[in-house]
Amino acid sequence: MRYTVIGGGVGCARFVKGLREHVRRTGGDDRIDVVVNTADDWWVSGLRISPDHDSLLYALAGVNDAERGWGRAGETERVAAELAAWGAAPEWFTLGDLDLGTHIARTAWLREGASVSEVFQRLAQRWDLGVRLHPATDSEIDTHVRTADGRRMHFQEWWVRHRAGLPAVGFEQAGIAAAVPTAGALEAIAEADAILLAPSNPVVSIGPVLAVPGMRDAVRAARAPVVGVSGIIAGAVVRGMADACLAAIGVETSAGAVARHYGPRTDGGLLDGWLVDASDAAEVAPLERAGIAARAVPLWLRDADSSAQVAADALALAAAVDP
């Protein structure tokens, strides 16, 4: 079997680790592909930073800082201090020394002419990830935020510096109209036996992947069932500030509202099925009336056991629906 996950960031990393663990426990040789968001990438101090990809890379390699949820374990920040002393980096965006090694390697390869897809492959060769990572596009599609007071800033400034505290009225990916899906991403979607939308930020992690021209159509045309996992539990985001993003596009912070935002595939949307947490069991019946098969199960990704079970539940729902 072949499973393709769409998403990015910490929620996606935890879910993919659970899926990998489930595959290992069931003794299969199932393949896992991940189509990764690159729209929150940006340039800092002349280096190309790719937060969603690196969260996946480090987590799957087992070298991530589990307490902070991002970056490498055992980090030091001597280079960041020097960059700050020179005024060559934003004081609110600190990069660890080990993490900088990744960014330097990425930037060197990009400047040599490698595509983002090729950089993904080179970075993955260092560790046995058990998963194949594909960028949604090789184009630069950095996200910018339009705020209610008329400002426009890079997503990372809004997210990290302002902690999403400035009311946003919209998000836009520069150059996305000319972007093209990568061959690896399209192949992973077309050949999948199940497509899984990770419990990632629906607006700025999954949304930009689907906004790459041709990507939404590829998911809708896939032969595989499409099942999403809610990152909203009991009306609250599990991690991060996705509620601020949802508010900006007029979507309520609830498991059911996010599912309706994606929409049923039978009515021009994307979803065949949707997992909600057991605390949101009341959402199941309305979603099924709307054309989305739904199940309520425990969704907290606390450890290897709970994460593997969520992955198993997602696959079980995928097996039960008719795309």
Side-chain angles (χ1 to χ4, degrees):
M1 300 289 284
R2 185 171 181 179
Y3 310 128
T4 295
V5 181
I6 298 175
V10 176
C12 183
R14 290 178 176 173
F15 176 73
V16 173
K17 283 184 67 178
L19 180 58
R20 183 182 65 179
E21 181 65 19
H22 168 71
V23 168
R24 288 176 175 173
R25 290 182 180 189
T26 55
D29 56 357
D30 302 330
R31 171 171 167 173
I32 302 171
D33 294 84
V34 187
V35 178
V36 184
N37 170 54
T38 57
D40 62 353
D41 294 11
W42 70 320
W43 290 96
V44 179
S45 303
L47 300 175
R48 189 64 174 164
I49 315 299
S50 188
D52 271 9
H53 167 268
D54 293 350
S55 291
L56 277 154
L57 178 71
Y58 297 154
L60 292 167
V63 299
N64 62 310
D65 187 327
E67 285 192 18
R68 289 192 302 180
W70 53 272
R72 295 280 296 274
E75 270 288 17
T76 52
E77 297 178 350
R78 296 185 66 188
V79 176
E82 279 297 290
L83 288 171
W86 287 114
E91 73 281 358
W92 45 266
F93 196 86
T94 301
L95 296 169
D97 297 334
L98 295 172
D99 198 26
L100 277 163
T102 303
H103 307 320
I104 292 169
R106 173 187 293 114
T107 305
W109 293 329
L110 290 172
R111 294 197 186 282
E112 289 170 0
S115 67
V116 177
S117 294
E118 290 167 335
V119 170
F120 270 38
Q121 292 171 10
R122 292 184 190 183
L123 290 172
Q125 288 172 2
R126 181 172 176 182
W127 295 289
D128 180 15
L129 303 181
V131 168
R132 301 187 191 193
L133 305 177
H134 311 276
T137 179
D138 286 330
S139 305
E140 288 189 14
I141 55 168
D142 297 26
T143 298
H144 290 79
V145 183
R146 289 181 289 109
T147 62
D149 59 5
R151 283 185 276 179
R152 183 179 184 274
M153 65 187 69
H154 195 282
F155 169 74
Q156 292 297 341
E157 182 176 359
W158 181 74
W159 189 258
V160 179
R161 183 181 188 182
H162 298 289
R163 303 297 298 169
L166 299 176
V169 296
F171 303 89
E172 54 192 45
Q173 285 78 41
I176 198 165
V180 176
T182 62
L186 289 178
E187 194 263 347
I189 290 168
E191 298 302 320
D193 293 295
I195 298 171
L196 307 169
L197 301 188
S200 299
N201 189 312
V203 183
V204 295
S205 285
I206 293 181
V209 173
L210 299 173
V212 174
M215 191 69 80
R216 183 180 293 270
D217 289 341
V219 174
R220 291 197 64 248
R223 63 182 176 83
V226 180
V227 169
V229 179
S230 176
I232 308 295
I233 294 179
V237 296
V238 172
R239 182 182 180 85
M241 298 157 285
D243 49 347
C245 300
L246 290 167
I249 65 168
V251 176
E252 177 186 87
T253 303
S254 72
V258 172
R260 288 185 287 273
H261 167 67
Y262 290 130
R265 188 143 62 137
T266 54
D267 191 29
L270 295 170
L271 293 177
D272 297 305
W274 184 246
L275 282 187
V276 302
D277 185 69
S279 62
D280 291 312
E283 300 274 18
V284 170
L287 286 175
E288 296 205 323
R289 286 195 296 270
I292 301 172
R295 288 183 182 172
V297 298
L299 286 187
W300 288 101
L301 306 175
R302 293 189 171 92
D303 49 30
D305 288 341
S306 58
S307 299
Q309 185 58 54
V310 171
D313 289 334
L315 293 178
L317 180 54
V321 298
D322 183 17

